[in-house]
Amino acid sequence: MAEKRRAGVAIMSDSKSAKAAGDEQLLSQAGVSALLRGALLRLLESRPLDPVGFLAEHFAHLSSEAEDGAPERRSVSRALWHLSLAHHSHRSAFNNNVRVAYELLTQSVPRRLGAGGVRGRLYSEMLRCLCSEGGLSGSTAAPLLRRIQSHDYESVPFELFRQGVLTCAVFADYIRKSQCLYAAVASAPDRPAERTLCQAVLSTLREALETAGGADVARYLEASAKISPAKVAQAMAEVQPRAQQQDGPTMDAQEFEDDAAALFIARVRTVT
Amino acid sequence: MTIINYLYIKNDPCCHVIALSFYFPAETNVLFYLNDAVTQLLEHKEEYTQFGVARYFAEYFTSVKNGNHVLFREFSYIKATTHNRESFIHIFWKCFRQIGKNGDLLAMAEYSSLLQLLCPDFPTEMVQNAARIVLIEDATDCLMSFSDFIYSFQIQFYFEEFVESVSVIYQDLLSGKSPNTVIVPTSTSVEQLSSAANEEPDAQGGVDSSIFCECIEGLCERFKHKFPSSVAIKEILESSQRVSFYGFLMALAKHEGVNQDIGALPNKPDLLIDPEMDQELERL
């Protein structure tokens, strides 16, 4: 079975016959060893959830690159694909993938145009795509993008690129979490939640963000994760006696999401 | 020394194998597929190297992902991983579901030939075992419907090792030997065990369901291969006091939850639906 063949089985088995030697020669001549080594290293760095799918894409990209070079359009989608491989909480894998994405995007810029760095237009497009792939609507993402995207003509260095990508990834998670919080607070899926309850949850969110401190965006999410169900329940219990009537003022899902987004975005530094 | 440094020391892919085994769980079988990809490349180098090796590997892994990779491969390959087994069952269904539509009944030997079209060295023994599930052991030259056959075949093939082990447990219970798991005998269970032993091996009575269930649960706790969910097993064995081996397997074959967990076949009502072929046939 596969388990027996898995650990430590060499591709070249223990035979020293001429066939084995000929095979080895073929593998190195055709560049197979180098190809596999590269693929395996990428696999170890990215640690994707679907290794087989990852390898299929990886080799497909390599072969299409060999065939006709990589036009700009493809670079953005390849960069996006790399960024999707590891969640931002897997810090080292995520950073590796950001580095690869960055290099993909800088490669598509002819050297004479800029002293390294990603072209502003590509960077802004990347961020837009990241937000929409993270499930964010255009209107939710717009205020964030206004703060962090750059001008088309500017050249974006790596650290800024990394911060921008990380911010979008964390923001997408944050909004998803807020949506879950709203769903928890709303008494029925088709009826909006009570305003006072929503405001209680939003102020717990604000408190959590305020205690985060520091410039590292990812801490905001960790902070919001500190909003344990107990804390939310406590906040709601404090509010509850005042909200006895069923038909008090309500807050709909979009307003809640916009308010939650605003709390996050307020803490993101505008890129100048 | 990090794993990455170690990789660069030896100039061949072997050490990557060891590194990967630390990082990836066995279920993904990445190493197995890489190994096979390189072996296939070497065996058919004339066919592949003209298109470039990157393209070869891309196609190999894409076909693995899509489940087409098992077509026309040898039996040892298609049984090697659960993904391969599931893919093979799925392909068999896709290729031959028209038989079911026509309502044809086929004999075991005919199903065996069909399987060998897809996998030249598919063993007839396994087809025989699958047929025994449908026909409850008797008269294996009887005809079977496609639907009956394929669900039983799925159980026999996908859970091959489990079926084998359960067979041993069943035989032990029949012959009164105490099975591997230690069951603290209460006076009633000892009575039941010895009364099971008093019956002839091929008696219709089978074995006591709850003892059988306990033994299977004990097996699953330490079992390294795939097995059906314990929820399904319990459901089946709680529904009657006594159970026979083939009765148990047949119940597994018919169990919708087990089928869905495997993921290779639709549930019975949808088994024969093939809209594209219907369109083709309407044109004729």
Side-chain angles (χ1 to χ4, degrees), chain B residues 38-80:
Chain B
V38 174
T39 312
Q40 290 294 297
L41 178 65
L42 291 170
E43 281 177 18
H44 305 111
K45 37 182 174 281
E46 302 77 28
E47 284 171 44
Y48 293 127
T49 46
Q50 52 175 309
F51 294 111
V53 278
R55 169 123 313 268
Y56 163 75
F57 280 111
E59 281 177 8
Y60 181 90
F61 281 100
T62 306
S63 77
V64 172
K65 189 175 158 103
N66 296 336
N68 305 325
H69 58 305
V70 287
L71 212 47
F72 311 129
R73 292 295 307 266
E74 62 283 8
F75 182 64
S76 57
Y77 180 76
I78 66 169
K79 68 170 269 185

Side-chain angles (χ1 to χ4, degrees), chain B residues 41 93 118 120 124 158 169 271:
Chain B
L41 178 65
W93 167 67
L118 303 178
T124 41
Y158 191 81
I169 289 175
L271 187 73

Side-chain angles (χ1 to χ4, degrees), chain A residues 3-221:
Chain A
E3 278 81 74
K4 289 198 199 110
R5 293 169 69 175
R6 175 177 49 94
V9 173
I11 294 173
M12 294 294 121
S13 65
D14 22 48
S15 122
K16 298 263 186 237
S17 67
K19 182 184 184 294
D23 288 343
E24 240 181 275
Q25 197 180 35
L26 172 83
L27 290 183
S28 61
Q29 261 175 10
V32 174
S33 302
L35 193 69
L36 285 183
R37 204 178 309 131
L40 294 176
L41 281 175
R42 288 299 303 132
L43 200 59
L44 283 170
E45 282 165 7
S46 317
R47 314 249 198 104
L49 289 172
D50 172 21
V52 168
F54 172 85
L55 286 173
E57 295 258 11
H58 170 84
F59 288 117
H61 289 150
L62 281 181
S63 64
S64 64
E65 209 176 51
E67 281 158 22
D68 57 13
E72 195 177 273
R73 184 89 296 271
R74 206 183 291 151
S75 304
V76 173
S77 56
R78 282 184 59 186
L80 280 169
W81 175 70
H82 278 283
L83 291 173
S84 68
L85 293 174
H87 190 257
H88 63 80
S89 58
H90 300 145
R91 199 45 66 86
S92 61
F94 185 77
N95 284 338
N96 279 331
N97 294 337
V98 173
R99 169 61 70 179
V100 172
Y102 179 78
E103 269 158 32
L104 268 171
L105 292 177
T106 51
Q107 266 166 28
S108 60
V109 176
R111 275 285 144 198
R112 57 186 164 81
L113 278 189
V118 174
R119 216 171 350 176
R121 183 171 54 78
L122 277 183
Y123 171 66
S124 303
E125 193 181 328
M126 272 278 326
L127 296 181
R128 254 196 307 282
C129 292
L130 262 178
C131 287
S132 83
E133 277 189 7
L136 298 170
S137 68
S139 54
T140 311
L144 176 72
L145 290 172
R146 266 196 295 278
R147 286 207 176 199
I148 60 175
Q149 65 192 13
S150 74
H151 294 288
D152 285 358
Y153 54 82
E154 286 177 322
S155 183
V156 177
F158 177 70
E159 192 42 47
L160 193 63
F161 180 84
R162 193 188 71 83
Q163 273 293 324
V165 166
L166 184 61
T167 306
C168 289
V170 173
F171 183 61
D173 274 358
Y174 173 83
I175 293 297
R176 248 193 306 279
K177 214 174 159 76
S178 322
Q179 288 165 345
C180 293
L181 283 173
Y182 181 83
V185 164
S187 52
D190 51 342
R191 278 176 40 206
E194 290 180 39
R195 178 164 286 270
T196 39
L197 286 178
C198 288
Q199 280 166 345
V201 176
L202 284 168
S203 56
T204 0
L205 264 178
R206 186 186 303 113
E207 266 174 47
L209 287 172
E210 270 161 20
T211 57
D216 192 347
V217 145
R219 291 225 210 108
Y220 297 156
L221 190 68

